[in-house]
Amino acid sequence: MPEGDSVFREAAMLHEALAGRTLLSTDFRVPAFATVDFAGQTVGRVQARGKHLLITVGDAVVHSHLKMEGTWHVYPRGTGGPGARRGGPRWKRPAHTARCVLTAEHHQAVGFSLGELHVFTPAEMDEHIAHLGPDLLGEDWNPADAARRMGSQPDRAIGVALLDQRNLAGVGNVYRSEICFLAGVHPDTPVGAVPDLSRIIDLAHRLLQINKLRGRRSTTGTPTAAVQYWVYGRGGKLCLRCQSRIIRSHSGEESQRRAAQEDRVIYVCPTCQPSPGQPS
C-alpha cells in the first residue's frame, strides 16, 4: 500500500534514472493530457511531497498520486508493452494499465494504475499541494507545526488526525495502525486526550525515515523480520506483546466509516491499546 515512504523510494528511483536526461518521447495515456509532448525537454528533479510524486520537466511538473494501486517502474529503454520488439523484455504490469511513459536515452519510466496524473505549471503545482502539512520525509520537516495542526482539533480521533494530510504528509493506514500501537493509544482516542502528542509525531517521523529506502517495509525490526507489522493486517492473530487477539474494525468517526475500503480499517490490540475511557 503506497504511503510516504513508498512514494519517496519511487521518486529516488526515478530521479536516478531520469534527472538531467533529455526525454526522447512521452506518452500520457489520459484524455486531458494525451497531446502533451515533452520530447527534447530535460528532466530536472524528481521528488516526493507526502504521497504526491513530482517530476520536473522543462518548465512543467508531471504530478502523480499513486492512491491504492499505482506504481512507477523503471526499465531499460526498449522494454515495453505493445510495439516492443518480439522476444524482448516486457513490462511487469499489463500495458493497458500504463498511464504515463517517459523515455530517455537509456531508461524508460512507466507509471501504472496511477490514481491521479496531471501536468501543471510550477505555480499550479504549488497551489495543488498547498493544503499539505509538514512532509515527514521532507527537507523542511517541522514537528512543531505538525503538533500545532493536530492540536487545533482536540476532539478529533487521533487515528483520523494522523491520516489527514493537512496535519502531516505521508501517513497512510499501515502507519496509522502501527504508530497508535507503538504509542499504546487507541485510534479513537481524542487528540486532546493523547498523553504525549509529540511522541506520536516523533514515531511517525522515525518509522517513515527508517523505511524510506527499504525494499520491504517493517515496523517490528529489520526488513527480514518474520512478522512485518505489529498489528496491521493481523486481525484475529495474537498480539506479539501480550498475546491478546488483535481486532480489525473501523474508525469511530462517522465520516471515515467505509467498510468496503481497506484504507479505513483499523487494527488494534484491545489490551495494549485500551478504548477511550477504559482503564489502561
Side-chain angles (χ1 to χ4, degrees):
M1 184 177 296
E3 301 197 19
D5 58 337
S6 303
V7 181
F8 183 95
R9 192 161 48 251
E10 296 203 357
M13 171 188 70
L14 291 172
H15 185 84
E16 182 177 357
L18 298 179
R21 274 76 170 188
T22 300
L23 294 176
L24 303 180
S25 66
T26 59
D27 184 4
F28 291 88
R29 301 182 179 183
V30 294
F33 305 107
T35 61
V36 172
D37 183 4
F38 287 131
Q41 305 244 22
T42 301
V43 177
R45 184 178 182 183
V46 183
Q47 61 184 314
R49 183 73 170 86
K51 298 182 183 181
H52 301 258
L53 195 150
L54 319 178
I55 306 171
T56 301
V57 184
D59 295 326
V61 182
V62 178
H63 162 269
S64 60
H65 194 298
L66 305 183
K67 298 294 186 180
M68 291 288 287
E69 299 179 355
T71 185
W72 281 90
H73 292 184
V74 171
Y75 299 101
R77 183 184 166 200
T79 310
R85 64 179 182 273
R86 187 170 183 178
R90 312 291 292 184
W91 293 342
K92 295 179 181 179
R93 289 281 189 100
H96 73 270
T97 66
R99 295 293 175 263
C100 182
V101 184
L102 306 175
T103 304
E105 182 180 2
H106 299 295
H107 294 97
Q108 183 180 71
V110 187
F112 295 98
S113 302
L114 302 175
E116 293 182 23
L117 180 64
H118 303 98
V119 177
F120 290 128
T121 66
E124 290 171 337
M125 187 71 258
D126 289 345
E127 182 179 357
H128 188 72
I129 61 173
H131 66 285
L132 295 177
D135 185 351
L136 284 156
L137 296 178
E139 298 168 355
D140 58 348
W141 163 242
N142 187 334
D145 187 25
R148 177 188 63 78
R149 289 168 180 253
M150 294 182 74
S152 67
Q153 294 181 290
D155 296 331
R156 200 177 196 196
I158 185 64
V160 176
L162 281 168
L163 284 187
D164 190 337
Q165 302 300 294
R166 296 170 297 183
N167 290 331
L168 67 173
V171 171
N173 200 41
V174 174
Y175 280 116
R176 183 261 293 267
S177 293
E178 296 296 285
I179 291 164
C180 287
F181 173 80
L182 288 168
V185 173
H186 193 284
D188 284 342
T189 303
V191 170
V194 172
D196 189 351
L197 185 59
S198 62
R199 181 169 180 245
I200 293 271
I201 292 169
D202 181 61
L203 277 169
H205 184 234
R206 286 194 288 125
L207 285 177
L208 267 75
Q209 284 286 344
I210 288 168
N211 284 289
K212 68 182 182 182
L213 292 178
R214 282 179 172 175
R216 181 178 184 267
R217 181 192 295 149
S218 173
T219 61
T220 59
T222 66
T224 57
V227 181
Q228 189 175 1
Y229 301 125
W230 291 100
V231 291
Y232 182 80
R234 301 189 66 243
K237 296 181 179 179
L238 299 181
C239 174
L240 300 174
R241 283 184 173 171
C242 72
Q243 299 299 294
S244 298
R245 293 219 175 261
I246 294 168
I247 296 171
R248 178 186 185 276
S249 60
H250 295 85
S251 168
E253 185 171 301
E254 186 60 33
S255 64
Q256 298 293 332
R257 284 181 180 168
R258 300 178 184 179
Q261 294 190 13
E262 182 66 17
D263 68 338
R264 292 296 177 258
V265 172
I266 57 175
Y267 294 88
V268 177
C269 171
T271 302
C272 297
Q273 300 167 265
S275 298
Q278 178 183 336
S280 58

Short mmCIF file of all heavy atoms in Angstrom, two decimals, residues 41-76:
data_model
loop_
_atom_site.label_atom_id
_atom_site.label_comp_id
_atom_site.label_asym_id
_atom_site.label_seq_id
_atom_site.Cartn_x
_atom_site.Cartn_y
_atom_site.Cartn_z
N GLN A 41 12.87 17.78 -24.10
CA GLN A 41 12.98 18.52 -22.84
C GLN A 41 13.79 17.72 -21.82
O GLN A 41 13.84 16.48 -21.86
CB GLN A 41 11.59 18.81 -22.28
CG GLN A 41 10.71 19.54 -23.27
CD GLN A 41 10.34 20.94 -22.77
OE1 GLN A 41 11.02 21.52 -21.93
NE2 GLN A 41 9.26 21.46 -23.30
N THR A 42 14.40 18.43 -20.89
CA THR A 42 15.26 17.79 -19.89
C THR A 42 14.52 17.63 -18.56
O THR A 42 13.82 18.55 -18.12
CB THR A 42 16.54 18.62 -19.67
OG1 THR A 42 17.24 18.73 -20.91
CG2 THR A 42 17.46 17.95 -18.64
N VAL A 43 14.70 16.47 -17.97
CA VAL A 43 14.10 16.21 -16.66
C VAL A 43 14.97 16.85 -15.58
O VAL A 43 16.19 16.68 -15.56
CB VAL A 43 13.98 14.69 -16.39
CG1 VAL A 43 13.43 14.42 -14.99
CG2 VAL A 43 13.10 14.03 -17.45
N GLY A 44 14.32 17.59 -14.68
CA GLY A 44 15.03 18.17 -13.54
C GLY A 44 14.92 17.24 -12.36
O GLY A 44 15.15 16.04 -12.46
N ARG A 45 14.50 17.78 -11.25
CA ARG A 45 14.41 17.00 -10.02
C ARG A 45 13.14 16.15 -9.99
O ARG A 45 12.09 16.58 -10.47
CB ARG A 45 14.41 17.94 -8.82
CG ARG A 45 14.41 17.25 -7.47
CD ARG A 45 14.46 18.26 -6.34
NE ARG A 45 14.52 17.61 -5.04
CZ ARG A 45 14.51 18.24 -3.88
NH1 ARG A 45 14.43 19.58 -3.87
NH2 ARG A 45 14.57 17.58 -2.74
N VAL A 46 13.27 14.95 -9.45
CA VAL A 46 12.10 14.12 -9.14
C VAL A 46 12.03 14.03 -7.63
O VAL A 46 13.01 13.66 -6.98
CB VAL A 46 12.21 12.72 -9.75
CG1 VAL A 46 10.94 11.92 -9.46
CG2 VAL A 46 12.47 12.79 -11.25
N GLN A 47 10.89 14.38 -7.05
CA GLN A 47 10.79 14.40 -5.60
C GLN A 47 9.41 13.97 -5.13
O GLN A 47 8.43 14.01 -5.88
CB GLN A 47 11.10 15.79 -5.07
CG GLN A 47 10.15 16.87 -5.56
CD GLN A 47 10.55 18.25 -5.10
OE1 GLN A 47 10.87 18.46 -3.93
NE2 GLN A 47 10.54 19.21 -6.01
N ALA A 48 9.36 13.56 -3.88
CA ALA A 48 8.09 13.20 -3.24
C ALA A 48 7.68 14.34 -2.33
O ALA A 48 8.51 15.01 -1.72
CB ALA A 48 8.26 11.92 -2.43
N ARG A 49 6.38 14.55 -2.25
CA ARG A 49 5.81 15.50 -1.29
C ARG A 49 4.65 14.79 -0.62
O ARG A 49 3.56 14.69 -1.18
CB ARG A 49 5.34 16.76 -2.01
CG ARG A 49 4.79 17.83 -1.08
CD ARG A 49 5.90 18.53 -0.29
NE ARG A 49 5.37 19.71 0.41
CZ ARG A 49 4.79 19.66 1.61
NH1 ARG A 49 4.67 18.50 2.25
NH2 ARG A 49 4.34 20.76 2.18
N GLY A 50 4.92 14.19 0.55
CA GLY A 50 3.92 13.33 1.16
C GLY A 50 3.65 12.15 0.25
O GLY A 50 4.57 11.41 -0.11
N LYS A 51 2.40 11.98 -0.17
CA LYS A 51 2.04 10.88 -1.08
C LYS A 51 2.02 11.31 -2.54
O LYS A 51 1.59 10.55 -3.40
CB LYS A 51 0.67 10.32 -0.68
CG LYS A 51 0.62 9.74 0.73
CD LYS A 51 -0.76 9.18 1.00
CE LYS A 51 -0.89 8.65 2.40
NZ LYS A 51 -2.22 8.07 2.67
N HIS A 52 2.46 12.53 -2.82
CA HIS A 52 2.48 13.05 -4.19
C HIS A 52 3.88 12.92 -4.78
O HIS A 52 4.88 13.16 -4.10
CB HIS A 52 2.07 14.53 -4.19
CG HIS A 52 0.70 14.77 -3.63
ND1 HIS A 52 -0.41 15.01 -4.41
CD2 HIS A 52 0.26 14.81 -2.34
CE1 HIS A 52 -1.46 15.19 -3.64
NE2 HIS A 52 -1.08 15.07 -2.38
N LEU A 53 3.96 12.56 -6.06
CA LEU A 53 5.23 12.41 -6.74
C LEU A 53 5.32 13.45 -7.85
O LEU A 53 4.42 13.54 -8.69
CB LEU A 53 5.37 11.00 -7.31
CG LEU A 53 6.77 10.56 -7.73
CD1 LEU A 53 6.94 9.06 -7.57
CD2 LEU A 53 7.07 10.96 -9.16
N LEU A 54 6.40 14.23 -7.85
CA LEU A 54 6.55 15.37 -8.75
C LEU A 54 7.79 15.19 -9.62
O LEU A 54 8.89 15.02 -9.11
CB LEU A 54 6.66 16.67 -7.96
CG LEU A 54 5.75 16.85 -6.74
CD1 LEU A 54 6.04 18.18 -6.06
CD2 LEU A 54 4.29 16.75 -7.14
N ILE A 55 7.59 15.26 -10.95
CA ILE A 55 8.69 15.16 -11.90
C ILE A 55 8.76 16.47 -12.67
O ILE A 55 7.84 16.82 -13.42
CB ILE A 55 8.47 14.00 -12.90
CG1 ILE A 55 8.23 12.67 -12.17
CG2 ILE A 55 9.65 13.87 -13.86
CD1 ILE A 55 7.79 11.53 -13.08
N THR A 56 9.83 17.22 -12.47
CA THR A 56 10.00 18.48 -13.17
C THR A 56 10.58 18.21 -14.56
O THR A 56 11.63 17.58 -14.69
CB THR A 56 10.94 19.43 -12.41
OG1 THR A 56 10.40 19.66 -11.11
CG2 THR A 56 11.10 20.75 -13.13
N VAL A 57 9.88 18.69 -15.59
CA VAL A 57 10.33 18.54 -16.98
C VAL A 57 10.28 19.91 -17.63
O VAL A 57 9.19 20.46 -17.83
CB VAL A 57 9.44 17.54 -17.77
CG1 VAL A 57 10.00 17.35 -19.17
CG2 VAL A 57 9.35 16.20 -17.05
N GLY A 58 11.43 20.45 -17.95
CA GLY A 58 11.45 21.79 -18.52
C GLY A 58 10.78 22.77 -17.58
O GLY A 58 11.15 22.88 -16.41
N ASP A 59 9.76 23.46 -18.07
CA ASP A 59 9.02 24.44 -17.27
C ASP A 59 7.71 23.89 -16.74
O ASP A 59 6.81 24.66 -16.38
CB ASP A 59 8.75 25.70 -18.10
CG ASP A 59 10.03 26.42 -18.49
OD1 ASP A 59 10.98 26.39 -17.68
OD2 ASP A 59 10.08 26.99 -19.59
N ALA A 60 7.58 22.59 -16.68
CA ALA A 60 6.33 21.96 -16.23
C ALA A 60 6.63 20.93 -15.14
O ALA A 60 7.79 20.57 -14.90
CB ALA A 60 5.61 21.30 -17.40
N VAL A 61 5.57 20.49 -14.48
CA VAL A 61 5.69 19.46 -13.45
C VAL A 61 4.67 18.36 -13.75
O VAL A 61 3.48 18.63 -13.88
CB VAL A 61 5.43 20.02 -12.04
CG1 VAL A 61 5.61 18.91 -11.00
CG2 VAL A 61 6.35 21.18 -11.74
N VAL A 62 5.16 17.14 -13.88
CA VAL A 62 4.29 15.97 -14.03
C VAL A 62 3.98 15.48 -12.61
O VAL A 62 4.87 15.06 -11.87
CB VAL A 62 4.96 14.86 -14.85
CG1 VAL A 62 4.03 13.64 -14.94
CG2 VAL A 62 5.33 15.36 -16.24
N HIS A 63 2.72 15.56 -12.26
CA HIS A 63 2.28 15.20 -10.91
C HIS A 63 1.51 13.89 -10.96
O HIS A 63 0.65 13.67 -11.82
CB HIS A 63 1.37 16.29 -10.35
CG HIS A 63 0.53 15.83 -9.18
ND1 HIS A 63 -0.73 15.30 -9.34
CD2 HIS A 63 0.79 15.79 -7.84
CE1 HIS A 63 -1.22 14.98 -8.15
NE2 HIS A 63 -0.32 15.27 -7.23
N SER A 64 1.82 12.99 -10.02
CA SER A 64 1.03 11.76 -9.91
C SER A 64 0.80 11.44 -8.44
O SER A 64 1.57 11.83 -7.56
CB SER A 64 1.73 10.58 -10.59
OG SER A 64 2.99 10.32 -10.02
N HIS A 65 -0.31 10.78 -8.20
CA HIS A 65 -0.66 10.28 -6.87
C HIS A 65 -0.98 8.81 -7.06
O HIS A 65 -1.81 8.44 -7.92
CB HIS A 65 -1.86 11.03 -6.30
CG HIS A 65 -2.08 10.81 -4.84
ND1 HIS A 65 -2.35 9.57 -4.30
CD2 HIS A 65 -2.04 11.66 -3.77
CE1 HIS A 65 -2.49 9.67 -2.99
NE2 HIS A 65 -2.31 10.93 -2.64
N LEU A 66 -0.33 7.94 -6.30
CA LEU A 66 -0.47 6.50 -6.53
C LEU A 66 -1.81 5.94 -6.07
O LEU A 66 -2.23 4.89 -6.57
CB LEU A 66 0.66 5.76 -5.81
CG LEU A 66 2.09 6.22 -6.15
CD1 LEU A 66 3.10 5.35 -5.42
CD2 LEU A 66 2.33 6.19 -7.65
N LYS A 67 -2.46 6.62 -5.10
CA LYS A 67 -3.69 6.07 -4.50
C LYS A 67 -3.41 4.67 -3.96
O LYS A 67 -2.40 4.42 -3.34
CB LYS A 67 -4.85 6.10 -5.50
CG LYS A 67 -5.23 7.50 -5.95
CD LYS A 67 -5.79 8.35 -4.83
CE LYS A 67 -6.29 9.69 -5.35
NZ LYS A 67 -6.83 10.55 -4.28
N MET A 68 -4.30 3.71 -4.24
CA MET A 68 -4.16 2.37 -3.66
C MET A 68 -3.28 1.44 -4.49
O MET A 68 -2.56 0.61 -3.95
CB MET A 68 -5.55 1.73 -3.49
CG MET A 68 -6.40 2.38 -2.43
SD MET A 68 -5.83 2.04 -0.76
CE MET A 68 -6.30 0.32 -0.59
N GLU A 69 -3.32 1.54 -5.82
CA GLU A 69 -2.69 0.53 -6.66
C GLU A 69 -1.60 1.07 -7.58
O GLU A 69 -0.95 0.30 -8.28
CB GLU A 69 -3.76 -0.17 -7.52
CG GLU A 69 -4.82 -0.89 -6.70
CD GLU A 69 -5.88 -1.54 -7.57
OE1 GLU A 69 -5.83 -1.34 -8.81
OE2 GLU A 69 -6.74 -2.24 -7.03
N GLY A 70 -1.36 2.37 -7.57
CA GLY A 70 -0.41 2.94 -8.50
C GLY A 70 1.04 2.61 -8.18
O GLY A 70 1.41 2.34 -7.04
N THR A 71 1.87 2.63 -9.20
CA THR A 71 3.30 2.39 -9.03
C THR A 71 4.06 2.90 -10.25
O THR A 71 3.50 2.97 -11.35
CB THR A 71 3.60 0.89 -8.83
OG1 THR A 71 4.99 0.71 -8.55
CG2 THR A 71 3.24 0.07 -10.06
N TRP A 72 5.30 3.28 -10.04
CA TRP A 72 6.21 3.64 -11.13
C TRP A 72 7.28 2.56 -11.25
O TRP A 72 7.81 2.09 -10.24
CB TRP A 72 6.88 4.99 -10.87
CG TRP A 72 6.03 6.18 -11.18
CD1 TRP A 72 5.19 6.83 -10.33
CD2 TRP A 72 5.94 6.87 -12.44
NE1 TRP A 72 4.58 7.89 -10.98
CE2 TRP A 72 5.03 7.93 -12.27
CE3 TRP A 72 6.56 6.70 -13.68
CZ2 TRP A 72 4.72 8.82 -13.29
CZ3 TRP A 72 6.26 7.58 -14.71
CH2 TRP A 72 5.34 8.63 -14.51
N HIS A 73 7.57 2.16 -12.49
CA HIS A 73 8.66 1.23 -12.76
C HIS A 73 9.69 1.90 -13.67
O HIS A 73 9.32 2.77 -14.48
CB HIS A 73 8.15 -0.03 -13.48
CG HIS A 73 7.29 -0.91 -12.64
ND1 HIS A 73 6.81 -2.12 -13.09
CD2 HIS A 73 6.82 -0.78 -11.37
CE1 HIS A 73 6.08 -2.69 -12.15
NE2 HIS A 73 6.06 -1.90 -11.09
N VAL A 74 10.92 1.49 -13.55
CA VAL A 74 11.97 1.94 -14.47
C VAL A 74 12.52 0.71 -15.19
O VAL A 74 12.87 -0.29 -14.55
CB VAL A 74 13.10 2.67 -13.74
CG1 VAL A 74 14.28 2.93 -14.68
CG2 VAL A 74 12.61 4.00 -13.17
N TYR A 75 12.56 0.79 -16.52
CA TYR A 75 13.06 -0.30 -17.34
C TYR A 75 14.18 0.21 -18.26
O TYR A 75 14.23 1.40 -18.57
CB TYR A 75 11.94 -0.87 -18.23
CG TYR A 75 10.77 -1.43 -17.48
CD1 TYR A 75 9.59 -0.70 -17.33
CD2 TYR A 75 10.82 -2.70 -16.93
CE1 TYR A 75 8.49 -1.22 -16.65
CE2 TYR A 75 9.73 -3.24 -16.25
CZ TYR A 75 8.57 -2.49 -16.11
OH TYR A 75 7.51 -3.01 -15.44
N PRO A 76 15.03 -0.71 -18.74
CA PRO A 76 15.96 -0.30 -19.80
C PRO A 76 15.16 0.12 -21.03
O PRO A 76 14.09 -0.43 -21.30
CB PRO A 76 16.76 -1.58 -20.07
CG PRO A 76 16.59 -2.43 -18.85
CD PRO A 76 15.22 -2.12 -18.34
#
